[in-house]
Amino acid sequence: MRNTRSLVFLGSVLLAGACADSVEDVELARTEAEASAAIPTVARRSLAITASSVLQPCLAGTPGLGDCGPGGESAFSLRRTLGLMLSSAGLPTTGPGESPMNALARQLWDTQNTNAGAQTGVANPQCDDVIGGGGRPVINGFPIQCPRNEGSMAAPATDMLTPASAAYFYPIALMNRLDLRDAAATTCGEYRIIYGRKDAAPAAPTGRALIIFEAALPNPRPALGAAGCQPIADLWAGLSDPAVTAASARTTLAAFYYTGVTVTYSDGVTATTMPVMHYQNLGAVRGQIRSNGFMNGPGEARWQLREFKTQISSTGRLVIRPEYVKTNPWPGLFATATGADPFSTWFVGQVPSLIVNDLNRFSMADNVTFGAGQSDSQVGAGAIEGPAGDPTQFSNDYALFSSPALTTAVQAKLTSLGSTLTPANVLLRATALSCGGCHQHSNGDNLGGGLVWPASAAFVHVNELPGAATAAPDAFGQATRSFQLSPALLNVFLPARTADLRCVAFGECAALTLTAGLRRN
């Protein structure tokens, strides 16, 4: 039997007299056994928080979504997130002229402009910094759509931080991704904040855009492995306690995301977590930032996901630079595969993990050599996909492009493993693990073995549109609404993540089927 240890109980977070930017001490109360028996885990409180009462999206005039914090901003505002990124890099958050936080937000979107169309006025990353074969802009050697309409948000007049602004980005979800810890648990997974663009509702005259800050949090005691993550798991599991109010959850999570918390282990050792939104956790050392957008404008509009990392430039500035999209091989490689080339060899080597017959456990390793610079969840209008058309038009529907030689090689591997799945099943599973597949292409796909991929919420897994928000009361019992979660999250992914959370927090691991380290939305 495991030794009992203390649970981080949110009702005992000590806040009196604490400064806004200080580390909050988390007192320990209740034994593990008491907590495990007393608190059934509620996914919308401990894994995917979309309640307006906690998030404070500050959408004035929108019924059930108008909650706002002191000073007219959310406790999880984009301003606060970007501010911590800057301050953690030793850079100022105030100064004459434009807010440094808004300037950093514009710089992110300026990566979608060419050098000729750059808006931020300094030497920042642009989408055509690297030119590949055929004179096309590339990321990681593979062609990308450049420019994209999202670049319009880099314009000097764009204000993404103020609730009254038409371009305001507001928080729509806090996501606990403890399950994304690596096998050695050097990190305790990712802790995400998702922001949606305000003018997406109700008529979406300029399109839709979301930013996802996917911060990977270092394990406070990495020598303990997953046990070093137990206090963090406890913190999130404790949110399901009915005694925890929306206000106390908000206070505790704001401390977790922006200042760090001090926790005590069963052996009496204390440790302080790194503030989640530290710039090093967003790509400079670990983690990443992603965008998901469909903005209207002069260029072709189609849903596409991109990935970014933070970086300190040679001049000491914090910049957000484009990066290849993890676990998203460039679709063109499937079309040109010979069955014996390096990509074919690698992909065939993924077959054993792709045929695991569990929606939460089949997997595909990331490989930087083959990683695409974009992940399309929608085919461009009138596009000819594949080698005969525009290579930037490849969507992530891999089964459409697989060469006969690759299909034959996959079948040979399936036969050697004694699997009754088909190459098409394997390719569809690979698509489902890509961003574009998980967000749209794979909805309802028959993956073989009795598995059907669950549905997104139409290109997103957390819907930022106020009109789609669920009715009151929210998961914290407040008379506010919550941003909509996809059927895939509600019915498939969150139940498995709940089991993982309870395994780490309480040692209830018998029912665990999740494979730590999968990149799922």
Side-chain angles (χ1 to χ4, degrees), residues 278-303:
H278 193 290
Y279 88 96
Q280 291 182 351
N281 297 338
L282 290 161
V285 177
R286 62 194 75 84
Q288 60 280 320
I289 300 168
R290 280 196 289 169
S291 68
N292 186 15
F294 181 89
M295 292 293 289
N296 296 318
E300 182 186 34
R302 64 181 187 267
W303 277 102

Side-chain angles (χ1 to χ4, degrees), residues 8-19 22-28 248 251-252 255 259-262:
V8 176
F9 179 46
L10 300 188
S12 61
V13 176
L14 299 183
L15 299 174
C19 297
S22 67
V23 172
E24 310 294 356
D25 293 325
V26 179
E27 289 287 294
L28 298 174
S248 63
T251 300
T252 299
T259 66
V261 294
T262 297

Side-chain angles (χ1 to χ4, degrees), residues 196-242:
R197 181 180 160 101
K198 176 182 176 182
D199 70 356
T206 59
R208 297 168 65 183
L210 301 96
I211 312 172
I212 309 98
F213 292 84
E214 301 179 341
L217 184 65
N219 188 335
R221 296 182 70 185
L224 298 182
C229 300
Q230 285 175 340
I232 294 170
D234 289 343
L235 186 150
W236 283 88
L239 289 166
S240 287
D241 191 320

Side-chain angles (χ1 to χ4, degrees), residues 69-102:
E73 283 201 350
S74 166
F76 306 95
S77 68
L78 182 59
R79 186 192 309 273
R80 190 174 188 184
T81 293
L82 295 172
L84 178 58
M85 290 167 58
L86 287 164
S87 63
S88 63
L91 298 170
T93 59
T94 60
E98 181 183 18
S99 156
M101 287 77 81
N102 197 66

Side-chain angles (χ1 to χ4, degrees), residues 334-380:
F334 290 84
T336 59
T338 66
D341 62 300
F343 175 73
S344 297
T345 301
W346 172 79
F347 185 73
V348 170
Q350 302 304 304
V351 171
S353 59
L354 283 167
I355 65 174
V356 173
N357 216 43
D358 185 319
L359 287 171
N360 283 291
R361 293 182 63 228
F362 73 75
S363 62
M364 178 173 65
D366 179 51
N367 189 315
V368 62
T369 303
F370 308 121
Q374 62 187 35
S375 188
D376 274 10
S377 53
Q378 183 181 28
V379 180

Side-chain angles (χ1 to χ4, degrees), residues 260-349:
V261 294
T262 297
V263 295
T264 304
Y265 292 82
S266 59
D267 59 4
V269 173
T270 61
T272 300
T273 65
M274 193 176 191
V276 171
M277 289 294 145
H278 193 290
Y279 88 96
Q280 291 182 351
N281 297 338
L282 290 161
V285 177
R286 62 194 75 84
Q288 60 280 320
I289 300 168
R290 280 196 289 169
S291 68
N292 186 15
F294 181 89
M295 292 293 289
N296 296 318
E300 182 186 34
R302 64 181 187 267
W303 277 102
Q304 190 177 100
L305 296 101
R306 294 284 182 100
E307 189 159 322
F308 308 87
K309 289 186 178 294
T310 52
Q311 182 181 53
I312 302 298
S313 74
S314 59
T315 58
R317 295 184 303 109
L318 178 66
V319 296
I320 299 173
R321 63 173 176 81
E323 176 70 6
Y324 82 94
V325 186
K326 293 185 181 68
T327 324
N328 282 256
W330 185 56
L333 293 170
F334 290 84
T336 59
T338 66
D341 62 300
F343 175 73
S344 297
T345 301
W346 172 79
F347 185 73
V348 170

